[in-house]
Amino acid sequence: MYPIIHLAGGLEIPSFFLVISLVLSISLLWVVHRADIYQLPKKNILDLGLLLMLSSLVGARIMHILYENLSYYRENPLKVFYLWEGGFVFYGGMVLAVIASFAYLRIIRTPKKSLYFDTFAPVLSFAYGFGRIGCFFAGCCYGKICVYPWSVNGRHPTQLYALFWEIGTIMLLLGLEKVKFPERPRFLNRPGDVFILWLALHSVGRLMMESFRDDFRGDQVFGYSVSTILSLSLFLIAIGLLAHPFRNSSLRFFRRNQ
């Protein structure tokens, strides 16, 4: 693993933050470019993208503090702001980012809320999957003992499992976008379905990743990590949204388009 990149003059850069910075920069450029696909204002997409970055950072940090190491931060309150030392939980960032997204879309009073979610769907897979390369270099989020040839330091490379899963998800979502709405499967033929499908696929990938992880996951619930419980819950919600026969009326706020 390479948690620190050593440069000339004694300068050191944490590999995790270098990877995350590059991934987020590429993600922002990509999602702004994707605004043309759904005919959305690039300014709104850029604003929302920046808001998602900030809210996800804050949410991920807060969940890490509250869920994984609250006693430590009680004794060292200033450490809350030591972001360079790591300590982020993806689902915490995701929850706050979703709340911030709905708030922003409500403020701008757009009639195309669901299309904004579809625009971001493959980019979210990219940001999450390739962001795991940072975890791989840092040596965090490691897996259980592995005896197979692809093991890394004798453990399952769970970070790379997540990366490969998200690459497959990106390919599937981009392929689905090329199919016009009337020609799509019935449960994927409405605005917002691309995002919901991403949510289902991401949850499945996260469940598999969690089953191989061996790092500290915080207090468990019924023998499972909170991330596992959240992944299963989100998967069931996503499947319910795709399969609900009355979703056009019951999900009017989310489905509203044009």
Side-chain angles (χ1 to χ4, degrees):
M1 305 303 174
Y2 302 93
I4 300 294
I5 299 175
H6 300 278
L7 303 178
L11 182 62
E12 298 180 342
I13 300 177
S15 56
F16 175 83
F17 289 104
L18 177 60
V19 170
I20 293 299
S21 297
L22 291 174
V23 168
L24 291 181
S25 297
I26 295 172
S27 297
L28 194 60
L29 292 174
W30 186 20
V31 77
V32 171
H33 175 74
R34 282 177 52 77
D36 293 334
I37 298 176
Y38 290 98
Q39 299 180 345
L40 298 173
K42 289 187 176 182
K43 177 185 180 301
N44 291 350
I45 290 293
L46 178 60
D47 290 344
L48 183 56
L50 293 173
L51 177 63
L52 290 178
M53 289 182 183
L54 178 59
S55 58
S56 60
L57 173 67
V58 174
R61 185 63 171 173
I62 290 176
M63 188 166 182
H64 162 70
I65 293 170
L66 297 179
Y67 165 54
E68 291 186 339
N69 215 343
L70 181 58
S71 59
Y72 171 78
Y73 290 102
R74 281 176 175 171
E75 297 175 359
N76 306 275
L78 290 180
K79 288 288 187 177
V80 169
F81 305 101
Y82 286 28
L83 303 183
W84 58 88
E85 293 185 353
F88 303 94
V89 177
F90 173 77
Y91 275 129
M94 180 178 176
V95 170
L96 190 57
V98 169
I99 294 173
S101 299
F102 274 109
Y104 175 79
L105 295 176
R106 187 174 182 84
I107 290 173
I108 65 175
R109 298 181 180 277
T110 176
K112 302 181 179 181
K113 295 180 177 64
S114 56
L115 294 183
Y116 278 85
F117 285 89
D118 285 347
T119 302
F120 276 86
V123 182
L124 294 174
S125 267
F126 173 83
Y128 176 81
F130 283 84
R132 285 295 179 185
I133 296 178
C135 298
F136 179 74
F137 284 144
C140 62
C141 309
Y142 54 84
K144 299 175 182 178
I145 299 298
C146 178
V147 297
Y148 299 111
W150 58 82
S151 67
V152 177
N153 293 334
R155 293 184 176 274
H156 284 282
T158 53
Q159 312 94 330
L160 301 185
Y161 293 170
L163 170 62
F164 296 144
W165 179 267
E166 295 297 340
I167 289 176
T169 299
I170 293 171
M171 295 174 63
L172 179 60
L173 295 180
L174 293 181
L176 179 63
E177 282 185 341
K178 295 181 179 180
V179 182
K180 296 183 181 298
F181 279 112
E183 300 174 2
R184 293 183 184 180
R186 187 173 181 181
F187 62 94
L188 292 172
N189 62 3
R190 292 172 175 80
D193 284 340
V194 172
F195 175 79
I196 297 175
L197 178 60
W198 167 79
L199 186 63
L201 292 174
H202 172 77
S203 300
V204 172
R206 187 60 189 265
L207 283 169
M208 291 191 293
M209 180 183 174
E210 287 292 318
S211 69
F212 287 108
R213 284 180 68 166
D214 198 35
D215 57 322
F216 176 67
R217 313 297 297 123
D219 295 332
Q220 295 190 335
V221 179
F222 302 114
Y224 297 97
S225 68
V226 170
S227 293
T228 298
I229 301 298
L230 289 174
S231 297
L232 180 58
S233 300
L234 289 176
F235 174 75
L236 295 176
I237 291 173
I239 295 300
L241 291 176
L242 291 174
H244 199 296
F246 305 108
R247 55 188 177 155
N248 282 339
S249 58
S250 62
L251 302 176
R252 187 176 303 165
F253 175 77
F254 184 76
R255 297 294 192 185
R256 191 176 299 146
N257 176 40
Q258 298 201 26

